[in-house]
Amino acid sequence: MTVSTEVVGAARVGVGGPVGSGKTALVERLIPLLRGEGIDLAVITNDLVTKEDAERLRRSRLIDPERVLAVEAGACPHTVIREDPTLNIEAAERLDAQFPGLELILIESGGDNLASTFSLDLVDYWMFVIDVAGGDDIPRKRGPGIIQSDLLVINKVDLAPHVGVDLDRMVAEAREVRGGRPVVLTNCRTGDGVDGVVRAIRDAVPLGRQTGKSAGSGSR
Amino acid sequence: MNDTPVSDIETLLMACQFGDGQFPSGAFGFSWGLEGLVTDGLVGRGDLVPFILGQVDGRWSGFDRVFVAHAHDGAGDEAALCGLDAGVETYSLASAQREGSRRAGAALLGIHARLGTPGAAEFRKLVSAGKTPGHAAVALGLVLAGAGLARGPALALSGYGFVSGLTTAAIRLGIASHIDMQQAISAARPVIAALAQSPVLPIDEVSSFSPLTEIAMMRHGARSMRLFSN
């Protein structure tokens, strides 16, 4: 058998992280900023037991509801973005076909633990979202999501003094375990810091229709 | 001295690869009505073996198996495959069943197209162009034929995948243990083996009788809490 080469459509950016860390809130903040930069955008959500995240985005009026697809993960939030991302790939290809000018698809994983990572056959770039209320020892735990993600987002920084978190130490440890790769601090409730996420995406991800090797290569 | 021909072992390995629950075709996202039955209390702990055998008899034997077999025979014949595909669309009562079958078929065609399985990319183009729905049974028959698997092993793989998908869903729904799962597969194995070698009905005699699972799939779309696509 041979591996085929084909047009792979819009760039895809994964947004992973534990339940309640603020992934959907981040996506809600990213949508207007990315659209404000003229980027043709769509979103796929992988809710674990409901379509709540997809419905929340559809109702938000931030984006055409038809540009939001929900993919059920069958109680396997890891599998659907890593071992078997075919349902997400199929959903992304549906969006590519439906919206010919599409440049970027955000793929929000179902809430999970620190071990979740994205298949590089699914996404071009992925970020992992944690929050200070989860504890300032999370970076020290060195989960694959913390270590391997292209971008680590530490959210809810405004809560640090209220939950006894030493934010400076948390950030320093995050940078240390990630070998200096990017870490961005956000408060998605107010939008503070989200522009840093946009810049990280813009700096790292070529947007627009792309052509490349579609599978088996470790990258799209 | 082992007298098993190398070609037989290669065939066995191919069936293992494509029938493996880890083969990336999105099967884990579908429960084919089981989630609804469990939610409504109609299937619970201890019911797995009779449920699986009932589904093999009521759904796989007379429906999926027949379409997989005819798609296997018709691989390479675009008109025949599209005709079969239209049949699955027509005879699948619940929208969640049709939609799930189309999505599972798209995932299967996608991975086989990327792997270069003969026939997969061509049929996938027809699906992408909206010329045919691309149902899972048709996709499975044509890709396994394209991969070089004979019809008997292809039907065995289809039956195994059918049972494996339902039993793994049962574990995630909390009504079965890993032992229950293996016992259910063991119970279904001789039935699938016999059916894989049995004559296949003409396509106009295809049949299915699984009313509760079909009703469960009809109700699935309206549920706010759900793990699976159907």
Side-chain angles (χ1 to χ4, degrees):
Chain A
M1 287 184 180
T2 58
V3 174
S4 63
T5 299
E6 61 184 54
V7 175
V8 293
R12 299 176 199 156
V13 169
V15 181
V19 174
S21 60
K23 297 182 295 301
T24 307
L26 176 60
V27 170
E28 286 175 328
R29 289 290 179 181
L30 286 173
I31 289 170
L33 294 179
L34 292 168
R35 291 185 70 194
E37 297 200 8
I39 297 170
D40 198 331
L41 186 68
V43 181
I44 296 171
T45 69
N46 290 174
D47 284 340
L48 189 57
V49 291
T50 67
K51 289 191 173 182
E52 187 170 325
D53 289 348
E55 291 303 326
R56 175 171 155 183
L57 290 173
R58 288 177 181 134
R59 283 196 303 265
S60 71
R61 300 180 178 226
L62 294 169
I63 189 168
D64 176 357
E66 291 195 357
R67 288 172 175 260
V68 180
L69 290 186
V71 171
E72 294 89 345
C76 296
H78 281 181
T79 306
V80 76
I81 60 169
R82 187 172 59 199
E83 287 88 349
D84 183 357
T86 50
L87 294 177
N88 274 320
I89 291 173
E90 179 255 338
E93 289 176 348
R94 266 195 287 159
L95 288 167
D96 280 329
Q98 191 174 351
F99 302 102
L102 197 61
E103 297 174 292
L104 176 64
I105 301 173
L106 296 175
I107 302 177
E108 181 191 344
S109 82
D112 206 333
N113 55 33
L114 303 182
S116 61
T117 58
F118 279 83
S119 163
L120 295 183
D121 286 329
L122 173 63
V123 297
D124 302 285
Y125 179 91
W126 64 282
M127 66 191 77
F128 198 75
V129 184
I130 60 175
D131 73 283
V132 299
D136 57 6
D137 58 343
I138 287 182
R140 284 202 304 277
K141 292 181 177 174
R142 294 172 175 266
I146 304 283
I147 304 292
Q148 297 177 22
S149 56
D150 295 303
L151 176 69
L152 179 67
V153 177
I154 300 178
N155 189 30
K156 304 184 188 178
V157 291
D158 56 310
L159 295 182
H162 306 293
V163 292
V165 163
D166 181 338
L167 185 59
D168 291 339
R169 190 179 71 180
M170 186 177 183
V171 173
E173 289 179 348
R175 294 190 198 285
E176 182 186 345
V177 300
R178 286 175 53 76
R181 286 194 293 156
V183 178
V184 171
L185 308 186
T186 59
N187 173 356
C188 289
R189 196 168 60 85
T190 61
D192 290 348
V194 179
D195 57 334
V197 179
V198 172
R199 278 199 306 277
I201 294 172
R202 298 300 313 256
D203 288 347
V205 185
L207 300 180
R209 311 293 283 191
Q210 300 170 52
T211 303
K213 196 174 281 186
S214 63
S217 60
S219 68
R220 295 195 313 125
Chain B
M1 183 83 179
N2 189 336
D3 59 359
T4 306
V6 171
S7 60
D8 287 357
I9 294 178
E10 286 180 355
T11 299
L12 175 62
L13 287 171
M14 185 194 295
C16 288
Q17 179 187 359
F18 294 149
D20 188 346
Q22 293 296 309
F23 186 75
S25 57
F28 63 90
F30 305 92
S31 86
W32 305 106
L34 181 57
E35 182 174 20
L37 294 174
V38 172
T39 303
D40 288 338
L42 296 170
V43 175
R45 291 200 77 102
D47 295 336
L48 190 60
V49 169
F51 172 75
I52 292 296
L53 293 177
Q55 294 302 301
V56 168
D57 181 54
R59 272 167 62 189
W60 182 74
S61 173
F63 193 82
D64 300 58
R65 181 179 72 103
V66 178
F67 279 106
V68 172
H70 283 276
H72 186 280
D73 293 349
D77 182 340
E78 185 179 303
L81 293 172
C82 290
L84 292 168
D85 219 11
V88 177
E89 181 80 11
T90 301
Y91 295 131
S92 298
L93 184 59
S95 62
Q97 186 176 10
R98 287 193 301 276
E99 173 67 15
S101 177
R102 285 193 294 258
R103 288 179 60 196
L108 190 65
L109 289 170
I111 182 64
H112 276 280
R114 289 178 172 88
L115 291 173
T117 302
E122 292 81 357
F123 196 69
R124 185 169 181 246
K125 281 180 187 165
L126 296 177
V127 177
S128 298
K131 294 180 178 174
T132 193
H135 283 287
V138 176
L140 185 61
L142 79 92
V143 299
L144 294 182
L149 209 58
R151 192 169 88 167
L155 291 178
L157 191 154
S158 165
Y160 177 78
F162 179 84
V163 168
S164 171
L166 289 173
T167 52
T168 55
I171 287 180
R172 280 174 276 146
L173 288 165
I175 63 158
S177 70
H178 61 301
I179 302 293
D180 297 331
M181 173 185 177
Q182 295 306 319
Q183 288 173 335
I185 293 173
S186 295
R189 199 173 55 218
V191 180
I192 292 169
L195 287 167
Q197 300 175 82
S198 300
V200 173
L201 291 170
I203 204 67
D204 56 359
E205 293 181 30
V206 70
S207 66
S208 173
F209 184 73
S210 184
L212 287 180
T213 50
E214 290 188 352
I215 292 168
M217 280 191 273
M218 288 180 202
R219 288 161 51 84
H220 193 82
R223 295 183 192 276
S224 59
M225 302 287 286
R226 60 194 210 192
L227 296 170
F228 293 87
S229 176
N230 65 15

